[in-house]
Amino acid sequence: MQIAILVEQMRREGYEVLVSRPEVIYRTDKKGNRLEPIERLFLETPKDAMAWCWKTWLAARRRSPA
C-alpha cells in the first residue's frame, strides 16, 4: 500500500513511473533442491529524483506504526 501511495505522488508531481507485479525468485543449491524464495525490489530512477524518493520513503516510515 505504501508503495502505491509513493508511486501516485510521484506521478502527480510529473515523474514517469513504471511498476510491475512482484516476482518470486527461486534459487537451487548444488544438489538441485529448491531453496527458500527471496524477494528483490528494483527501483530505476534518475539520479535527481533519488533524493526525493528516499526523503518521501523515510518520512512515510516515521509516520507508520511499527
Side-chain angles (χ1 to χ4, degrees), residues 1 6 19 27 29 50-51 57 59:
M1 180 68 172
L6 178 64
V19 180
R27 294 199 176 189
D29 61 10
M50 206 56 205
W57 181 76

Side-chain angles (χ1 to χ4, degrees), residues 1-29:
M1 180 68 172
Q2 290 180 355
I3 291 177
I5 293 169
L6 178 64
V7 169
E8 185 59 31
Q9 285 179 346
M10 290 176 71
R11 285 186 179 149
R12 289 180 185 173
E13 293 186 17
Y15 292 98
E16 292 184 21
V17 181
L18 177 64
V19 180
S20 62
R21 295 184 135 267
E23 252 181 74
V24 177
I25 301 171
Y26 292 99
R27 294 199 176 189
T28 55
D29 61 10

Side-chain angles (χ1 to χ4, degrees), residues 35-59:
L35 302 174
E36 291 289 322
I38 60 171
E39 291 183 39
R40 290 187 181 158
L41 171 66
F42 293 98
L43 182 62
E44 294 182 28
T45 59
K47 287 186 179 184
D48 59 333
M50 206 56 205
W52 181 89
C53 290
W54 279 112
K55 180 178 148 188
T56 305
W57 181 76
L58 288 171

